[in-house]
Amino acid sequence: MTVIPSKFVIIVLCFFIAILIFVPFTGDKYWIKLVTRMMVLGMFAMSLDFIVGYTGLVSFGHAAFFGLAAYTLHLISPEETAVNLLWALPVCLLVSGTAAAIIGALSVRTRGIYFIMVTLAFAQMLFYFFHDSDIAGGSDGAFIYFKPVIVLGELTLMDLDGQNVLYFFSLVSLMFAYGFLLIILRSPFGRVIQGIKVNEHRMRALGYNTYIYKLVSFIIAGLIGGYAGFLFACIDGFVPPELLGWQESGLALVMVILGGIGTLFGPALGAVALLGVEELFRERHIFGQLSEHWQIMLGAFVIAVVLMLKNGIGGLILKIGDRLKGSVR
Amino acid sequence: MSDPLLLAQDLSVSFGGLHAVSNLNLEVEMGEVHAIIGPNGAGKTSLINLFSGDIEPTRGRVYHRGEDITGLPPYQVVARGIGRSYQITNIFLEFTCSQNCWLAARARLGSAMRFFVPSGRDIHTAKRVSEALSLAGLEAKANNVAKELSYGEQRQLEIAMLMALEPEILLLDEPLAGLGVDESQGVLDLVRRLAPEHGIVLIEHDMDAVFAIADKLTVMVDGRVLESGTPEIIKVSEKVRKAYLGDD
Amino acid sequence: MDWLLFFIQTLNGIQYGLLLFLIASGLSIVFGVMGVINLAHGSFYMIGAYLAFTLSELTGSLFYAILLGIPITMLLGFFVERFFIVHLYHRDHLQQVLLTFGLILIFNELQQILWGGDPHAVPMPAVLTGSFPLSDTLSYPVYRFFLSAVCLGMSIVMYLVLKHTRFGMRIRAGASNRTMIEALGINIRFLYSLVFAIGVALAGVAGMLAAPVETVYPGMGEQILIVSFVVVVIGGIGSIRGAFIGALAIGLADVYGQVFLPDLASVAVYGVMAGVLLLRPSGLFGRGT
C-alpha cells in the first residue's frame, strides 16, 4: 500500500511533463491535438485505475461517465455563444457523478463477473439511449459550436477554443487529477478501499461497511472520468454516441493494463502508448493496405498485451526505480 | 440481575441437510474465558461465525448485553465490540504489519470517510496500532510486509489486529494452531492478561492450554452441547470422558 | 389495444426470447464450466448471420446454409479455443475480458474486409415464406413459427443431453463445481474444447436462423452480446434454467417495451435487469455471492 511515488518516479514524471510543455512550441497542429487527446484519455484511464487497480472493481462501463459529461456539455452549450466553464464543468461533473451513484448503487451489490457484465450493460443502456433518441443528434452525434470559456464579470480569462489553451488546460487538469487521486489514496478512505481490494471479507469482519466505500470510490472515479469527458468534448467540439460505448470502456481498460494496473501514473502512460500504437498502425507508409484495417492489428496488439505484459509500463518504471535504489545502497 | 455479556439462545444453523449447530445455549460473562472444545466437525467454528455475524442462524437468537444482535452484518457486530480471529490466517498479505493493524484500529473509530487528510496524521489510530503490535509481540516487525513473515508471526499479526479492534468480546478460533511452544505461551499469557476486562470465547485443540486457562468449558459434539461447566466438572464428567476424552 | 395484436407481440417476444436463450446458454455454460467470460460470443452470432448470407447465396437455400454453417462454426470454435481461450483458464476476469475484447476487434474488422459495411437481407426458404392469417388484416409469418420451433427443439435437445447423458452430467458437474470436474480426471482439454465449440455453434446457429428476420449488419454481434449478458445476469450465471427464464423475460420485456413505452424501448430491458439486481444481486437462480 505504498501510494506516495518514489523519487525516481517523480523524476520520470517531471521528464514527461517537460516534454509535454514543449510540444505546443512545435506549432504542429496535428501533434498538439493528438497529445491533447493522449492527456485527456490518460486522465480517463487514471480514473478507471482508481476503481480497478485500487478498489478491485473491474468496471467495463466506465465510458458511460466520460460520454455523459460530454453530452451534458453539448446540451448546456447554447448554439450561438460559448458557455462559461465555471458553471458548465460543475454541472457536467454533477451529471456524471449522479449517474455513477445510481449505476454504482446497483452494480456494486454484485461481484466479479457479474460486476463486469452489469456495468457494461448499464453503460450500453446509456449508449442506446443517446444513439436511438433524438435529444442529441442520435447516431450522428452532436456538436458543440462554441467551446467553453472562463468569464469573470466582463473579463474573458480563458477560451478553450484556442488549441494551445485547451492543451495546457488539459495538462493542468491531468496533473490535478493525479494529485487529487494520490491525496485520496493516502487518506483513511484510500487505505480502506485498498484493503477492500486485497481482502474484502476481512474488511467486513473488521467492521467496515464495504458497500459504501466501494460505492463512493465508484463515484469518485465517475467524477474524474466525467471531467475527462468534458475535456474530450472540447477537443473536436463533437460528441458521438460511441464515446459512451463499450469499445471506449474496453480501450480504457487496455490503457490501464498496458500502463500498469494499480500505479495511477501508469495508465496515463498507457493512454499515450495505445494512441501512439494506433497512429502507427494507421500509417500508410509502414503498413500499406493493412493500415486501412488497422483494427485487426489493434486487436492483435491488445491480445499480445494481455498475454505478455505483466505489470505494464508503470510496473517497468517502478522496477527500474527499485534497481537504482538498490545499487545506490 | 444484569444481562450476560454474550448469550446464545436455542441457536441452530444447518447447511443443506447438515446441522452444524443445533439448539445450543451458551452464556459468556465479563472476565471469563469460555473455551469450546470438541472433535473436528462439532460445529465450533460455525458457532463463532454465528456470533460474529458471518452466518445467520436458521433458528434461535444471539444477545449482546441483552440486545438482540441476531442477523446483524459482521461490520455492525464488530462496531458493538465483538471481534474475532480466524482459524486460517486471514490478513492482508500485501500490507505491512502496522498497515494491517491500522485497518483494524481505524475500523472502531466509526467512518473512515476522510478523503483529504493523510492517514498518517491520525495520531490516535497510530497509537493503538503500536499498542496492539506490542501486545502481540510484533513491534519489531511493524514495517515488514505480512507475506514475508513466518507462519507464527502471521498468527501473531492476526491477534494484533484483533487487539487493535479493542473489542470487549474476543472470539478466538484456534489461536495456537501452528505456533511453537514459546509463541503459544506468549499468546496464552496475553489471553490471561486480557481476561479480567474481556469476555473471551476460545476454540482450541490443545487440551493442556485449555484446562490451564479456561474458567468455563463447553464440550460440543455434532453441533450439540454435551456438557458445560468449570474445568473440574468437565474433567470428571463421565459423558465427556466417553465421547471425547476417553480415547487416551 | 387489440388483443390479437397483443397476441402477435407476445409471439414475437417468445421467439426473440428463445433465440436469446440459444446465445445466452452458450455464454453461461462456457462460463460455468471453464470459468471464462467470453466477450467475443456475440461475434459468433454475427459470423453465423453472415455465413447464412453467403452460404444461402451459394447453395440457394438457407437450409443448406445452416447444414454447412454448423460444422464451420464448430471448427471456428475449436480453433479459437485452441489458440486463444486456452490461455485464459487460469487468468483473472480482467484479462479474459480484454483478450476476448481484442478478438472482437479482429472479428469486426475481418467482417468489414469480407462483407463490407452494408446491411444485407437474407431470403427465407421458399417453403416458409407464407404467413398464417389471424384475422382479416393480421397474419403471422410462418418463418417466425419455424424459428421458434427450431429454437425450442434445440432447447429441449440441450435439456435432454444435459440431463440424461454422461457428457451432460460432466457439464453440469463442471458448472456447479469446477474443481470437481478437474478432480474427476476427465479429459478436460477435450471437454473444454468441445463445450466451447458447442457454445460457438449455438451462437452461430442463432445468427443463421435470425438472419432472414433481422437484416445482417455490422455490429449486430455486440448488440446481442449485451442483451445476452443481461439475460445471464437476470438468470444467474451457470444456470441453464435461469438463462431460459431470463431470456423469455427479456424477449417479452423488449417487445412490450416497444409497444407500451416506444420512447424508452431500448432502455426497458435494462430496467428489468436493474429490478432483478435490486432484489437478487446474484440473479434469479444464481448461487449467491
Side-chain angles (χ1 to χ4, degrees):
Chain A
M1 201 164 33
T2 38
V3 171
I4 311 300
S6 68
K7 261 187 205 140
F8 179 73
V9 170
I10 291 174
I11 292 169
V12 171
L13 293 182
C14 286
F15 172 71
F16 275 111
I17 290 168
I19 294 177
L20 287 176
I21 290 173
F22 171 75
V23 169
F25 295 104
T26 61
D28 186 327
K29 283 197 180 299
Y30 184 82
W31 271 95
I32 296 171
K33 191 176 212 168
L34 177 65
V35 179
T36 311
R37 270 176 52 218
M38 285 174 171
M39 292 190 295
V40 171
L41 287 173
M43 186 167 155
F44 179 50
M46 206 181 254
S47 70
L48 181 58
D49 191 32
F50 184 73
I51 37 170
V52 178
Y54 289 95
T55 319
L57 297 171
V58 179
S59 168
F60 208 108
H62 201 49
F65 315 117
F66 185 73
L68 212 47
Y71 267 109
T72 308
L73 179 61
H74 158 75
L75 290 172
I76 61 176
S77 294
E79 265 187 36
E80 311 78 25
T81 141
V83 73
N84 192 347
L85 183 140
L86 291 180
W87 68 268
L89 180 59
V91 167
C92 291
L93 294 188
L94 185 73
V95 170
S96 285
T98 309
I102 295 168
I103 293 176
L106 285 165
S107 47
V108 165
R109 289 161 63 85
T110 66
R111 270 156 228 266
I113 199 95
Y114 278 93
F115 185 79
I116 296 174
M117 295 198 287
V118 170
T119 46
L120 174 58
F122 278 127
Q124 219 49 20
M125 173 180 91
L126 288 172
F127 168 79
Y128 286 119
F129 177 76
F130 282 101
H131 187 271
D132 296 350
S133 78
D134 47 13
I135 66 160
S139 57
D140 294 334
F143 290 92
I144 296 161
Y145 297 102
F146 292 91
K147 312 268 173 74
V149 290
I150 295 183
V151 181
L152 264 182
E154 296 288 294
L155 202 63
T156 303
L157 294 176
M158 207 166 81
D159 185 348
L160 291 188
D161 197 36
Q163 206 187 18
N164 288 349
V165 177
L166 180 62
Y167 182 94
F168 282 110
F169 188 70
S170 302
L171 175 59
V172 171
S173 299
L174 175 68
M175 286 160 63
F176 164 77
Y178 182 57
F180 176 79
L181 292 176
L182 268 189
I183 286 174
I184 288 186
L185 285 173
R186 189 171 76 131
S187 74
F189 173 82
R191 281 204 179 183
V192 169
I193 57 169
Q194 291 172 73
I196 290 172
K197 190 202 172 199
V198 174
N199 191 342
E200 180 175 358
H201 172 255
R202 186 65 168 130
M203 287 301 279
R204 285 175 63 79
L206 284 177
Y208 293 99
N209 179 1
T210 53
Y211 173 78
I212 293 293
Y213 290 93
K214 290 197 288 186
L215 177 58
V216 171
S217 166
F218 193 79
I219 295 171
I220 291 173
L223 284 172
I224 303 290
Y227 191 166
F230 173 91
L231 292 175
F232 197 84
C234 296
I235 298 177
D236 288 317
F238 174 58
V239 185
E242 281 72 26
L243 283 194
L244 301 139
W246 63 277
Q247 288 225 7
E248 202 68 27
S249 297
L251 287 175
L253 277 174
V254 174
M255 291 169 194
V256 171
I257 286 260
L258 177 60
I261 186 166
T263 58
L264 211 57
F265 68 89
L269 300 179
V272 174
L274 190 68
L275 288 183
V277 164
E278 217 180 284
E279 286 297 309
L280 184 72
F281 288 158
R282 287 167 132 159
E283 196 56 61
R284 218 166 207 301
H285 306 301
I286 303 172
F287 291 101
Q289 276 288 309
L290 200 57
S291 65
E292 276 172 40
H293 304 290
W294 59 277
Q295 291 235 355
I296 285 195
M297 290 185 281
L298 186 67
F301 178 73
V302 168
I303 291 172
V305 166
V306 173
L307 290 181
M308 292 173 199
L309 216 60
K310 250 208 152 149
N311 300 314
I313 302 167
L316 193 70
I317 291 175
L318 290 178
K319 206 172 176 184
I320 296 171
D322 284 348
R323 283 268 165 79
L324 288 178
K325 208 169 151 193
S327 64
V328 167
R329 273 185 201 153
Chain B
M1 209 187 105
S2 69
D3 292 304
L5 192 57
L6 189 66
L7 175 70
Q9 228 172 44
D10 290 326
L11 212 53
S12 300
V13 71
S14 45
F15 306 111
L18 181 79
H19 300 285
V21 173
S22 47
N23 297 326
L24 183 132
N25 289 288
L26 195 124
E27 221 179 284
V28 182
E29 296 291 351
M30 183 55 103
E32 173 181 281
V33 177
H34 193 138
I36 318 272
I37 59 172
N40 283 328
K44 294 169 299 193
T45 296
S46 296
L47 182 61
I48 295 251
N49 284 334
L50 285 168
F51 285 147
S52 68
D54 279 303
I55 55 177
E56 260 187 70
T58 15
R59 225 154 17 87
R61 317 225 58 89
V62 182
Y63 297 92
H64 172 231
R65 292 185 178 275
E67 279 176 58
D68 192 348
I69 61 164
T70 323
L72 287 186
Y75 67 88
Q76 285 179 18
V77 175
V78 182
R80 298 188 59 102
I82 303 173
R84 69 170 296 180
S85 74
Y86 284 85
Q87 184 183 351
I88 302 157
T89 309
N90 193 353
I91 54 180
F92 301 89
L93 287 172
E94 297 162 30
F95 298 170
T96 65
C97 290
S98 59
Q99 282 169 340
N100 270 276
C101 291
W102 188 93
L103 288 173
R106 179 74 209 195
R108 281 303 299 280
L109 246 60
S111 167
M113 289 287 177
R114 301 285 303 274
F115 299 97
F116 302 110
V117 191
S119 345
R121 207 170 287 170
D122 181 352
I123 297 161
H124 184 65
T125 307
K127 200 168 139 242
R128 282 169 65 158
V129 167
S130 59
E131 278 168 9
L133 284 172
S134 69
L135 274 176
L138 270 180
E139 52 287 59
K141 303 272 179 182
N143 293 319
N144 289 40
V145 177
K147 66 178 161 204
E148 288 158 9
L149 300 179
S150 72
Y151 181 75
E153 287 167 337
Q154 290 185 348
R155 302 290 305 167
Q156 278 170 282
L157 180 56
E158 181 86 41
I159 302 276
M161 285 168 76
L162 187 57
M163 292 297 97
L165 270 177
E166 290 185 10
E168 62 171 2
I169 299 177
L170 305 174
L171 307 170
L172 302 174
D173 195 351
E174 299 198 22
L176 306 182
L179 292 190
V181 181
D182 290 349
E183 292 161 329
S184 288
Q185 200 50 52
V187 173
L188 283 177
D189 288 343
L190 179 63
V191 171
R192 201 171 279 132
R193 207 150 19 109
L194 295 169
E197 282 160 33
H198 293 80
I200 297 174
V201 178
L202 172 72
I203 295 179
E204 191 45 64
H205 277 300
D206 180 345
M207 285 305 133
D208 293 335
V210 166
F211 279 99
I213 204 169
D215 302 301
K216 217 167 163 194
L217 277 152
T218 293
V219 184
M220 276 179 82
V221 173
D222 293 334
R224 292 167 195 284
V225 173
L226 187 75
E227 188 80 274
S228 190
T230 61
E232 292 72 30
I233 293 174
I234 300 296
K235 261 183 202 158
V236 296
S237 162
E238 208 43 50
K239 269 196 281 183
V240 175
R241 190 179 299 274
K242 260 197 201 135
Y244 182 57
L245 299 174
D247 50 7
D248 53 273
Chain C
M1 184 176 145
D2 189 356
W3 71 269
L4 203 57
L5 205 62
F6 181 77
F7 175 66
I8 290 176
Q9 288 302 334
T10 306
L11 285 181
N12 282 341
I14 292 172
Q15 174 251 303
Y16 182 44
L18 288 168
L19 193 70
L20 274 179
F21 172 67
L22 287 190
I23 302 153
S25 59
L27 196 66
S28 196
I29 291 179
V30 166
F31 181 75
V33 177
M34 287 113 101
V36 168
I37 167 133
N38 178 20
L39 285 197
H41 200 69
S43 300
F44 301 127
Y45 171 81
M46 172 194 77
I47 289 167
Y50 274 98
L51 278 178
F53 167 67
T54 301
L55 292 176
S56 61
E57 248 181 13
L58 287 175
T59 60
S61 165
L62 184 68
F63 290 130
Y64 295 126
I66 292 178
L67 283 181
L68 277 172
I70 291 174
I72 294 177
T73 47
M74 275 195 92
L75 272 178
L76 177 69
F78 272 116
F79 173 82
V80 170
E81 198 271 344
R82 228 354 96 90
F83 285 94
F84 298 103
I85 306 298
V86 74
H87 298 294
L88 294 177
Y89 294 141
H90 295 286
R91 288 176 185 251
D92 59 33
H93 295 326
L94 178 57
Q95 290 171 315
Q96 296 175 349
V97 161
L98 285 182
L99 189 140
T100 51
F101 170 70
L103 284 178
I104 299 185
L105 294 178
I106 293 177
F107 282 134
N108 278 354
E109 201 59 46
L110 284 176
Q111 176 271 321
Q112 288 289 335
I113 294 172
L114 292 172
W115 288 289
D118 298 328
H120 296 285
V122 175
M124 299 173 186
V127 255
L128 300 171
T129 44
S131 54
F132 299 114
L134 293 173
S135 72
D136 297 341
T137 49
L138 295 169
S139 61
Y140 197 74
V142 174
Y143 185 80
R144 280 184 184 263
F145 265 119
F146 164 77
L147 176 49
S148 299
V150 172
C151 290
L152 197 61
M154 285 176 68
S155 307
I156 292 169
V157 169
M158 196 152 78
Y159 174 80
L160 293 175
V161 168
L162 282 172
K163 197 89 187 179
H164 296 293
T165 64
R166 279 180 77 85
F167 175 64
M169 194 198 71
R170 285 171 181 175
I171 290 179
R172 277 186 298 137
S176 61
N177 186 347
R178 207 149 58 81
T179 39
M180 180 163 129
I181 199 152
E182 290 177 5
L184 282 175
I186 296 163
N187 184 349
I188 292 171
R189 280 296 310 113
F190 182 69
L191 182 75
Y192 279 11
S193 299
L194 193 59
V195 167
F196 191 83
I198 290 174
V200 170
L202 280 173
V205 169
M208 294 182 243
L209 286 169
V213 180
E214 316 186 10
T215 44
V216 177
Y217 61 97
M220 65 189 297
E222 284 86 78
Q223 203 267 341
I224 207 88
L225 172 80
I226 313 280
V227 180
S228 304
F229 274 175
V230 172
V231 166
V232 173
V233 167
I234 289 177
I237 290 169
S239 166
I240 298 297
R241 188 170 40 150
F244 190 76
I245 289 170
L248 286 181
I250 288 305
L252 291 171
D254 189 65
V255 293
Y256 291 154
Q258 281 169 21
V259 174
F260 296 115
L261 306 159
D263 294 333
L264 292 170
S266 53
V267 182
V269 165
Y270 304 96
V272 175
M273 181 179 79
V276 170
L277 280 177
L278 267 178
L279 301 171
R280 295 194 58 119
S282 46
L284 295 176
F285 295 92
R287 273 169 274 140
T289 45

